[in-house]
Amino acid sequence: MIQNQQAMILSPYMALYDMVVPKDNILRKINELVDFSFVYEELESKYCLDNGRAAISPVRMFKYLMLKAIYDLSDVDIVERSKYDMSFKYFLDMAPEDPVIEPSSLTKFRKLRLQDVNLLDLLIEKTVGIAIENGIIKSKSIIVDSTHTKARYNQKTPREVLLDYSKNLRKAVYRIDESLKSIMPAKVNNGVLEDEIEYCKKLIKAVRADEVLSNYPDVKEKINILEETIEDDLEKLALSKDEDAKIGHKTYDTSFFGYKTHIAMTEERIITAATVTSGEKHDGKQLQELVEKSEAAGIEVENIIGDAAYSEKENLEYAKKENINLIAKLSKTVSHGNKRESHDFEYNKDADMYVCKAGHMSIKKTSTRPKKHAKDGQGTVESYFFDVEKCKHCPYKEGCYKDDAKTKSYSVSIKTNTHQEHIDFQESEYFKEKSKERYKIEAKNSELKHRHGYDVASSSGLVGMELQGAVTIFAVNMKRIITLLG
């Protein structure tokens, strides 16, 4: 049961917050800037209003998720820290003496309360609204790009995940005292998952036996992460199946297994829109949705700044129709005319190759041109060849690959004169000057990954990835707004 209104905090110790939480503390500033009642309004329908035990406020539960995104900690560690960190308790609207939640409550909140909620658009629009209200956003340009996130489960076997976490725990212990190697249980190397689980349990028990050692913050965090993996995630790890994640390619010879988050951001570095897709999706196909979401959030778009992945023909036509300048250099391979069944093959601008529906990248490219077009460059046909051995066993081979065929290729026609208008625009000083702003989104992608744990998915599936993206982008945007407000 959820309460109809937030209860007043009546505690004789509330004045402690004024003494120990500085005025410039980031969590204090976020509390002052954001009216979190929108979370209650959005999730009210997920609770019973007149029956059952009183539920923890959805606003407080959401704030716990925000703290996880800001500080990149496990459920156990974020709850543990909220016991003694007064800035956390202040942010969570708790009295200093209030007890904290059980860590498992966060898992239930994510699974039961946040399903079927478009939290990604809601949270981004909220932060963009705050930025506009405070006069932060002045530019009329959005910078677009995508960042990849590795899937949590399929990139490694369950045993490999446990090996990594147990190794991190041992390293944390040895940094304190190398002589403690003697108390560690013997490692197992037989490749059996069950034996690795047993070893991890023995390792935790051995470390916990030393009360002083196990209470070092670094050691404690590593124990909690390993325990969380064993207790909460092992069933899913054993299945090792993330149906939504797909193989994406960063360059010709580097790939990843997971997801892409496609982002639009203003020149002030406020993220205005995002979409989450599986890893193989082409960046350029998300452009129109990013523009529409940015406009819905209140952004006036006059310029779109991006790399060559966004210069495909459909986007050039869309930008012209909407009277928007597309600041993206042309790539002849992505700017060809229409191709039958082209939706099954998408161009990867980093590798300069095509990727099929199954996520397999072409291995060779050839180019031919009729003699009559030797001078004007028109009529060029580029053919992309795929690994036939992979095609033979591909689940999508019907209608794509003929049995016993020795080659499989996909061809596109290059029509350079079709894009002469954009070629001329590329040479203008305005285009060159605006192109210099693109570096900002690379820095934003790095911030998401390296400071907020966005390099690896925290759960499986697109729904889990969207939730992670929503909370992380909300936290990153709020930090940026606070920085710009000084």
Side-chain angles (χ1 to χ4, degrees):
M1 182 178 72
I2 190 174
Q3 296 178 358
N4 291 321
Q5 60 183 18
Q6 184 136 351
M8 289 183 63
I9 304 173
L10 301 174
S11 169
Y13 306 111
M14 292 300 288
L16 278 173
Y17 290 137
D18 294 328
M19 292 185 278
V20 299
V21 183
K23 297 295 182 185
D24 61 352
N25 178 272
I26 187 171
L27 299 180
R28 180 185 280 275
K29 288 188 172 183
I30 291 174
N31 253 3
E32 291 170 353
L33 269 176
V34 184
D35 177 5
F36 284 97
S37 62
F38 74 93
V39 176
Y40 179 93
E41 293 165 4
E42 188 69 26
L43 300 182
E44 184 180 8
S45 62
K46 301 288 183 178
Y47 292 83
C48 177
L49 298 177
D50 55 11
N51 191 26
R53 188 174 61 182
I56 301 165
S57 165
V59 173
R60 182 175 298 173
M61 298 301 288
F62 173 75
K63 285 184 174 183
Y64 266 112
L65 296 184
M66 266 200 73
L67 290 173
K68 274 178 62 70
I70 294 172
Y71 296 98
D72 191 22
L73 294 172
S74 68
D75 289 357
V76 172
D77 287 318
I78 209 71
V79 172
E80 178 66 23
R81 186 166 165 181
S82 66
K83 289 179 181 178
Y84 57 81
D85 191 319
M86 288 295 105
S87 65
F88 276 32
K89 284 205 166 188
Y90 174 81
F91 181 67
L92 294 166
D93 300 312
M94 297 169 65
E97 73 275 19
D98 280 352
V100 297
I101 64 170
E102 285 292 325
S104 60
S105 299
L106 285 172
T107 302
K108 293 175 183 175
F109 180 69
R110 284 189 290 262
K111 290 182 177 179
L112 300 178
R113 311 302 184 192
L114 298 182
Q115 296 297 316
D116 306 319
V117 177
N118 187 7
L119 211 58
L120 184 63
D121 293 345
L122 175 71
L123 295 183
I124 291 177
E125 287 180 12
K126 184 67 178 178
T127 55
V128 171
I130 292 170
I132 292 172
E133 286 171 16
N134 286 275
I136 289 172
I137 297 178
K138 297 181 175 64
S139 67
K140 296 182 179 179
S141 301
I142 59 171
I143 311 168
V144 291
D145 198 11
S146 69
T147 186
H148 71 276
T149 303
K150 294 177 182 177
R152 182 173 186 179
Y153 300 113
N154 296 58
Q155 55 179 324
K156 293 180 179 179
T157 65
R159 182 175 171 274
E160 286 173 333
V161 174
L162 290 173
L163 278 171
D164 282 350
Y165 287 155
S166 61
K167 182 180 178 181
N168 290 340
L169 176 55
R170 290 195 305 272
K171 280 185 174 181
V173 170
Y174 300 155
R175 280 194 292 268
I176 297 167
D177 186 351
E178 280 201 31
S179 67
L180 293 171
K181 289 183 179 181
S182 60
I183 70 166
M184 296 298 175
K187 297 179 189 175
V188 290
N189 245 342
N190 58 11
V192 178
L193 176 61
E194 289 78 4
D195 290 346
E196 191 62 41
I197 293 170
E198 194 59 36
Y199 165 76
C200 289
K201 290 179 179 178
K202 289 178 181 178
L203 177 63
I204 292 169
K205 185 177 180 180
V207 176
R208 284 201 185 280
D210 188 327
E211 191 173 343
V212 175
L213 176 65
S214 62
N215 277 297
Y216 274 87
D218 190 30
V219 174
K220 197 171 185 178
E221 283 184 16
K222 301 300 186 295
I223 290 174
N224 289 337
I225 289 172
L226 185 55
E227 282 187 327
E228 195 170 291
T229 303
I230 294 170
E231 294 171 8
D232 300 333
D233 297 338
L234 203 52
E235 184 180 345
K236 194 169 284 187
L237 278 168
L239 293 173
S240 188
K241 196 72 176 173
D242 189 338
E243 298 289 353
D244 292 332
K246 294 287 186 295
I247 295 173
H249 297 271
K250 293 183 280 184
T251 62
Y252 175 71
D253 56 358
T254 59
S255 61
F256 68 96
F257 184 83
Y259 305 92
K260 277 186 178 180
T261 302
H262 306 266
I263 294 170
M265 182 186 81
T266 68
E267 291 179 23
E268 294 83 7
R269 309 192 194 205
I270 302 294
I271 296 173
T272 59
T275 62
V276 178
T277 66
S278 49
E280 89 288 3
K281 296 298 184 184
H282 179 42
D283 295 0
K285 303 297 183 187
Q286 315 303 318
L287 180 69
Q288 295 186 31
E289 186 175 357
L290 291 175
V291 173
E292 290 165 3
K293 285 187 174 185
S294 295
E295 290 176 336
I299 302 298
E300 187 178 344
V301 181
E302 291 184 359
N303 300 296
I304 303 168
I305 304 168
D307 58 25
Y310 297 93
S311 64
E312 59 185 27
K313 186 178 179 183
E314 291 84 353
N315 288 340
L316 293 172
E317 292 172 346
Y318 170 75
K320 186 174 182 179
K321 184 183 75 172
E322 299 295 325
N323 199 25
I324 297 172
N325 296 315
L326 181 57
I327 317 294
K329 289 186 178 180
L330 272 179
S331 169
K332 66 176 184 177
T333 316
V334 300
S335 58
H336 57 75
N338 291 329
K339 171 74 180 179
R340 192 177 177 185
E341 295 181 353
S342 62
H343 61 281
D344 287 339
F345 297 86
E346 294 188 342
Y347 177 69
N348 183 289
K349 51 92 180 174
D350 295 313
D352 190 28
M353 289 287 185
Y354 267 84
V355 180
C356 74
K357 186 177 181 180
H360 301 139
M361 181 176 284
S362 52
I363 56 175
K364 185 178 73 171
K365 177 177 76 171
T366 62
S367 181
T368 57
R369 182 189 302 158
K371 289 183 179 179
K372 66 178 181 179
H373 291 302
K375 291 183 179 180
D376 61 19
Q378 296 188 69
T380 300
V381 175
E382 289 190 345
S383 299
Y384 296 81
F385 293 84
F386 292 82
D387 186 342
V388 176
E389 292 305 314
K390 291 181 180 177
C391 296
K392 289 177 181 177
H393 306 287
C394 179
Y396 304 107
K397 72 175 184 178
E398 188 176 347
C400 179
Y401 171 75
K402 293 181 180 178
D403 289 335
D404 301 323
K406 294 183 178 180
T407 62
K408 168 58 190 174
S409 65
Y410 176 74
S411 301
V412 295
S413 299
I414 309 299
K415 303 176 182 178
T416 57
N417 289 354
T418 306
H419 303 89
Q420 190 59 50
E421 187 178 324
H422 197 74
I423 292 171
D424 295 339
F425 179 47
Q426 282 182 194
E427 299 304 314
S428 69
E429 287 301 317
Y430 184 81
F431 184 99
K432 293 175 182 177
E433 194 62 32
K434 281 293 181 184
S435 294
K436 294 176 182 178
E437 298 291 326
R438 207 188 79 77
Y439 78 93
K440 293 178 178 178
I441 201 160
E442 299 287 355
K444 184 63 67 175
N445 289 341
S446 177
E447 179 187 356
L448 287 166
K449 288 183 177 180
H450 298 129
R451 295 188 191 176
H452 300 281
Y454 208 63
D455 54 334
V456 177
S458 61
S459 60
S460 66
L462 274 172
V463 173
M465 192 66 233
E466 285 180 359
L467 172 59
Q468 184 179 353
V471 180
T472 305
I473 291 172
F474 184 83
V476 167
N477 269 0
M478 288 310 306
K479 286 173 65 179
R480 182 61 182 166
I481 290 169
I482 288 168
T483 299
L484 293 175
L485 287 175

